[in-house]
Amino acid sequence: MDPVLKEIYSLVLPAAPYVLAAYGILWIGLFGYVTVVLRRLGKIEAELRIVEEALARRA
Amino acid sequence: MPEGGSSTYAVEIEGLVRAFGARKALDGVSLTLPAGAFLSIFGPNGAGKTTLLRVLTTLTNPSKGTARIAGLDVVKDAVELRDRIGLISHNPLLYPDLSAQENLEFFAEMYGVEDPAARVHDLLTAVELDHRRLDLVRTFSRGMLQRLSIARALLHRPEVLFLDEPYSGLDPHAADILDSLIASVRAEHTFVMVSHDLAKGLELCTHALILAKGRVVLFEPRENIDPDAFAATYRSTVGMGVA
Amino acid sequence: MAMDRNRLTFAAVVVGGLLTTVAFVLAFFVAAPVLANNTLTAGGGALIGGKLITNPVLFSQKIFFFHVPVAITSFVIFFFTAFYGVRFLMTKDKRFDTKARIATEITLVFVALTMITGDIWTRYEWGTWWVWEPRLTTYFIMMMLVIVYFVLRASIEDEERRAVYASAFGILAFLDAPLSFAITRIVPSGAHPVVLRAGGGLDAVQLGGFLIGLAGMLCFGYAIYQLRIREETAKERLEVLKASLEG
Amino acid sequence: MAETATAAPKRSSSWRQFKAILRKDIVMELRTKEMLSSMTLYTLLTLVIYQIALSQSGSGFDIRLIAAGLVWLAFVFTSMLGLNRSLVHEKDQGCLEALLLAPVDRPVIFFAKAVGNLIFLLIVEVVTVPIFAVAFMSGRPIAGPFWMLVLSAFVGSLGIAGVGTFLATMAVNARGGSFILSVLFIPLMYPALLAAVAGSSAVVLGGEGYAATFWQAVGMGAGIDAIMLLAVFALYEFVVGA
């Protein structure tokens, strides 16, 4: 391999898995958190509707 | 503030609310109490008695409404007001590692009592602890602690005395001494007492208040109260928790 | 009002997703993987994709486009812990305490993500998982402060007292973070080597990609915050309604 | 309002109240010796731990490299013990409430408690440093003048006492009081402690330009103290009344 190209790529190839792993974890982390929050939110709002209906019936 | 410190009302409460989030410890309490009166506050646990007492003694600020003690606002004039009020709690509020005399001298200094040595001596004599004045408070019995704590509360000659379940934990003898002590200073102060003891509270008071869920259920002068009806009203509130 | 808030949250998610995707494309496919002030030791250069490359290619530098925006976002959200702490102490309004608590919670999420992405980079670039280097040390301290905020909350029974203490501590912690930063920079911390490779020298595309990534991440931070607020509000309302049903 | 002021009994001045609280704390401490004895004992035990930690370091190891750090570490753990106690006895029989009921400005309570804690901390330091010197520094003198060491110790202790008193006021109302205190204290005090160790270390080690490093560290430490003390001073009223 051309020494110039070799030096250029020597800094790309070993770094790639680390950078990609970091990027992947970041996205999984963020989306995981948002998903958890959304699911909890959905559950609570459903429960809230039930309770509100119960209250409306009573009134 | 026209009437200043010489208001004819010792306690004036107007629309007092104490809330945190949705939970209301006090929910619109209003009442006036003439100077020289003795108010007994009853109510089930969580009715807001302690909160009311804390607001009136400037330890907690109200969320809404106003309260004035001896003509002074509990929020705006808090520092001046603290000079005019005393608290006798079931907790002695004394330092166990100081002697009786040192405790009183310390609080005399905090209140800026004039001629503290004489005042402390007079009070120690009055509560019959003069002979124990050099002993550490740690060694005192429950009754002696309560007597000393009364002396502490009276040090600065407060206009209004607050009593927070003063009889709890006292044996009959100590309770008798407390009775006679209160009787001996009864004429000089307005009293506000929180109590669980219906008979005792009614016996001492000129006005009675029942709180439940942070609201006034009943507030009447003593002469308008029929003890049996009163007891029934009180019982109906027991079990009513916090709103 | 509530409807508007929800629509804004939705918009923030969409914009955040869009911007971070654009930043991703810019970072990995457009921006030059080089830094202007680094030159090849072998001399000359090489044509790659029709462009003459005369600098060493630093792929690890790509982390800059997402690691740094996440870190900055964590600081921005942490500011709101202190801000709502002050608001709470001024008003004693429970809502402000809830806001401060949620801001701190989201700070913790972003701090954790910053720590993990940073650490992976450190492992490659410095050959070790952890170094007590000023920036790392300071950030570690900030993470501790954020965690401790919740430890403090968990240890206090009375609701209002918990809110007051947490607000006070949140304010102190936010003041403390920059102090830690300053002190580790100014007072030399012993003998360890200065390991930071290649400094600044960003070109327009790199800077643009970074800023777009930052804007996207801030949108995400805002959206998550609003979602959590909505959840808390719903939860509180639910409790009130349940109590009134039973009482 | 003026009428009220004349009618009211004469209020005690803040200075008198400050002295009264401080005197009370000192009298109680001299009587029970609770804080001083437990703090001193704790420091001595820390030194024993250091002996264990350093037992395999060999004779070539220059203790001076880490001496300042070790001494500060002992102070930090000891001070937390003392800080916790100083507020626990206020809480014992509701005494803090009695203080709050008195016509006293809240900052006065804060300053009196903090000054008391500072005094106790300095006493413990005065006991610890010579023992540490005898036990670990055998024959190796410190490079800088002694007063520099005293100055950096004072700057560090000032921050510990101030912020510590504030945090102890919170911890005393929390479950697991002393644990909460240390958990709050250490990350919050990180910058102040780093400055203190850097300053003291410069004096112990000496070397070229040590005075510059020292002044930089002490200056930083004093600045951090100023910021943090101002902040806790402003926040104390909220915390003590909650």
Side-chain angles (χ1 to χ4, degrees):
Chain A
M1 205 181 192
D2 176 53
V4 175
L5 273 181
K6 198 174 175 185
E7 189 181 345
I8 288 173
Y9 285 120
S10 73
L11 292 164
V12 174
L13 298 177
Y18 290 97
V19 172
L20 294 178
Y23 199 80
I25 289 174
L26 176 79
W27 276 110
I28 292 169
L30 265 185
F31 272 110
Y33 184 70
V34 172
T35 315
V36 169
V37 170
L38 276 175
R39 281 183 58 181
R40 269 198 325 225
L41 186 61
K43 226 188 267 175
I44 288 173
E45 282 182 345
E47 203 177 337
L48 197 59
R49 269 193 298 277
I50 294 171
V51 174
E52 267 168 354
E53 274 165 27
L55 263 181
R57 262 200 307 277
R58 185 177 294 194
Chain B
M1 199 190 297
E3 66 277 89
S6 51
S7 168
T8 49
Y9 288 112
V11 179
E12 300 156 90
I13 304 173
E14 185 59 50
L16 205 62
V17 175
R18 170 73 199 163
F20 191 68
R23 197 174 42 101
K24 284 182 174 162
L26 290 177
D27 190 5
V29 173
S30 302
L31 60 89
T32 50
L33 187 72
F38 192 121
L39 173 68
S40 287
I41 305 175
F42 305 100
N45 286 332
K49 305 187 298 284
T50 309
T51 310
L52 181 57
L53 208 65
R54 285 182 66 83
V55 170
L56 296 183
T57 50
T58 74
L59 292 176
T60 301
N61 283 344
S63 310
K64 262 190 226 137
T66 56
R68 291 151 76 84
I69 308 290
L72 295 170
D73 190 278
V74 290
V75 180
K76 286 197 285 280
D77 314 314
V79 180
E80 292 98 274
L81 176 56
R82 288 182 190 125
D83 251 331
R84 316 279 194 93
I85 56 174
L87 172 70
I88 299 165
S89 158
H90 47 273
N91 223 349
L93 315 184
L94 296 162
Y95 290 97
D97 290 316
L98 293 181
S99 70
Q101 189 174 345
E102 283 167 335
N103 257 300
L104 293 191
E105 278 169 357
F106 169 68
F107 284 106
E109 194 77 348
M110 296 307 291
Y111 282 97
V113 173
E114 279 166 60
D115 195 3
R119 179 74 181 146
V120 167
H121 180 261
D122 288 350
L123 279 169
L124 281 171
T125 316
V127 296
E128 293 169 31
L129 283 172
D130 200 34
H131 61 294
R132 297 287 304 260
R133 67 176 186 276
L134 296 181
D135 291 355
L136 293 193
V137 164
R138 184 178 288 290
T139 64
F140 281 18
S141 70
R142 187 80 185 78
M144 289 160 76
L145 275 178
Q146 196 60 289
R147 268 140 65 198
L148 188 60
S149 111
I150 291 169
R152 181 192 52 73
L154 296 176
L155 262 177
H156 55 292
R157 300 189 170 85
E159 288 168 39
V160 182
L161 261 184
F162 292 90
L163 298 101
D164 187 5
E165 296 177 24
Y167 289 93
S168 82
L170 290 189
D171 59 51
H173 176 64
D176 283 346
I177 297 178
L178 182 57
D179 275 343
S180 63
L181 269 173
I182 289 177
S184 69
V185 294
R186 174 69 191 85
E188 298 150 42
H189 311 274
T190 304
F191 283 78
V192 175
M193 178 169 84
V194 165
S195 177
H196 269 129
D197 188 339
L198 211 55
K200 182 71 96 191
L202 277 181
E203 171 197 325
L204 291 169
C205 75
T206 62
H207 292 70
L209 167 69
I210 297 181
L211 282 180
K213 289 186 171 183
R215 296 205 183 94
V216 176
V217 175
L218 181 149
F219 175 64
E220 291 284 352
R222 176 67 183 86
E223 56 268 23
N224 300 352
I225 291 173
D226 168 47
D228 294 332
F230 187 81
T233 312
Y234 176 66
R235 267 197 303 279
S236 73
T237 67
V238 174
M240 288 168 77
V242 214
Chain C
M1 181 72 193
M3 239 14 250
D4 285 356
R5 196 57 62 72
N6 289 350
R7 213 173 295 161
L8 201 58
T9 309
F10 182 69
V13 173
V14 173
V15 173
L18 220 64
L19 289 182
T20 41
T21 311
V22 170
F24 171 79
V25 172
L26 280 176
F28 283 91
F29 299 106
V30 181
V34 295
L35 290 170
N37 52 5
N38 263 21
T39 43
L40 285 173
T41 48
L47 277 173
I48 301 175
K51 261 194 271 183
L52 182 69
I53 304 294
T54 53
N55 309 53
V57 179
L58 277 174
F59 192 72
S60 66
Q61 191 264 344
K62 298 286 182 216
I63 195 160
F64 170 77
F65 293 97
F66 51 95
H67 172 70
V68 180
V70 174
I72 291 178
T73 308
S74 76
F75 277 116
V76 170
I77 303 173
F78 198 32
F79 165 77
F80 285 96
T81 299
F83 175 74
Y84 285 123
V86 172
R87 296 279 286 143
F88 173 77
L89 290 179
M90 278 162 53
T91 59
K92 293 288 168 72
D93 186 335
K94 191 184 174 188
R95 281 175 312 173
F96 289 123
D97 176 54
T98 308
K99 287 181 178 180
R101 190 186 82 225
I102 289 170
T104 319
E105 185 187 303
I106 295 166
T107 307
L108 187 57
V109 173
F110 278 83
V111 164
L113 290 174
T114 309
M115 276 300 221
I116 295 170
T117 51
D119 237 17
I120 292 173
W121 182 83
T122 307
R123 176 69 189 83
Y124 166 72
E125 195 74 351
W126 298 343
T128 168
W129 286 110
W130 188 259
V131 181
W132 288 104
E133 181 266 348
R135 200 184 288 252
L136 265 66
T137 311
T138 327
Y139 207 70
F140 180 75
I141 296 291
M142 181 170 140
M143 184 175 80
M144 291 308 291
L145 288 168
V146 173
I147 293 172
V148 163
Y149 175 91
F150 290 104
V151 175
L152 176 66
R153 288 195 80 98
S155 71
I156 297 164
E157 217 75 61
D158 184 85
E159 245 188 297
E160 184 169 359
R161 178 179 282 162
R162 183 195 306 151
V164 171
Y165 286 9
S167 301
F169 186 74
I171 295 165
L172 281 184
F174 181 71
L175 278 181
D176 204 57
L179 287 182
S180 307
F181 189 77
I183 184 88
T184 41
R185 284 294 152 122
I186 291 172
V187 172
S189 58
H192 88 74
V194 178
V195 263
L196 269 176
R197 207 146 84 178
L202 297 175
D203 63 28
V205 181
Q206 286 171 325
L207 189 65
F210 165 70
L211 288 178
I212 289 171
L214 176 59
M217 212 48 88
L218 285 172
C219 280
F220 263 131
Y222 174 78
I224 297 175
Y225 171 78
Q226 285 302 343
L227 281 180
R228 285 289 290 119
I229 287 282
R230 216 169 106 192
E231 187 190 343
E232 285 304 305
T233 320
K235 219 190 263 176
E236 271 163 33
R237 192 168 148 66
L238 191 61
E239 264 164 41
V240 172
L241 289 184
K242 272 184 177 168
S244 67
L245 260 180
E246 281 150 17
Chain D
M1 219 34 234
E3 196 189 335
T4 317
T6 48
K10 236 176 94 184
R11 273 183 54 203
S12 187
S13 76
S14 292
W15 174 237
R16 265 178 70 188
Q17 293 170 330
F18 170 83
K19 280 191 299 183
I21 299 174
L22 187 57
R23 184 171 350 104
K24 173 215 65 166
D25 276 351
I26 293 172
V27 165
M28 275 167 66
E29 181 52 36
L30 291 180
R31 187 160 292 153
T32 61
K33 298 178 192 66
E34 234 173 33
M35 266 162 77
L36 283 178
S37 60
S38 59
M39 283 166 85
T40 311
L41 193 63
Y42 198 80
T43 320
L44 290 177
L45 288 173
T46 315
L47 296 188
V48 173
I49 301 280
Y50 290 167
Q51 193 279 322
I52 298 171
L54 296 168
S55 60
Q56 304 302 311
S57 60
S59 57
F61 180 70
D62 187 1
I63 184 88
R64 291 187 309 160
L65 285 173
I66 56 167
L70 291 181
V71 174
W72 274 108
L73 203 69
F75 290 162
V76 167
F77 283 108
T78 311
S79 59
M80 281 188 295
L81 203 69
L83 289 165
N84 198 45
R85 284 240 41 91
S86 89
L87 265 300
V88 164
H89 78 224
E90 286 293 349
K91 203 69 193 173
D92 253 359
Q93 298 196 345
C95 299
L96 194 58
E97 200 156 290
L99 268 187
L100 294 177
L101 274 168
V104 51
D105 292 323
R106 278 39 180 155
V108 173
I109 302 178
F110 172 69
F111 277 123
K113 297 300 292 180
V115 168
N117 285 327
L118 180 62
I119 291 172
F120 297 136
L121 195 58
L122 290 176
I123 292 174
V124 173
E125 288 175 11
V126 167
V127 176
T128 313
V129 172
I131 298 178
F132 183 88
V134 170
F136 290 99
M137 301 281 285
S138 51
R140 274 172 285 209
I142 59 166
F146 186 66
W147 63 265
M148 278 184 155
L149 212 54
V150 174
L151 182 64
S152 72
F154 183 78
V155 169
S157 310
L158 197 64
I160 293 181
V163 178
T165 304
F166 177 83
L167 295 179
T169 309
M170 299 211 273
V172 82
N173 285 317
R175 246 180 298 122
S178 57
F179 162 73
I180 290 295
L181 176 60
S182 51
V183 157
L184 298 178
F185 185 82
I186 292 172
L188 215 49
M189 287 306 285
Y190 169 80
L193 290 174
L194 197 65
V197 170
S200 315
S201 217
V203 183
V204 173
L205 289 171
E208 210 173 315
Y210 81 92
T213 313
F214 172 81
W215 286 115
Q216 201 176 38
V218 167
M220 264 316 267
I224 291 167
D225 279 359
I227 294 172
M228 292 306 271
L229 289 179
L230 221 60
V232 295
F233 169 75
L235 291 171
Y236 196 72
E237 176 147 10
F238 296 106
V239 165
V240 79

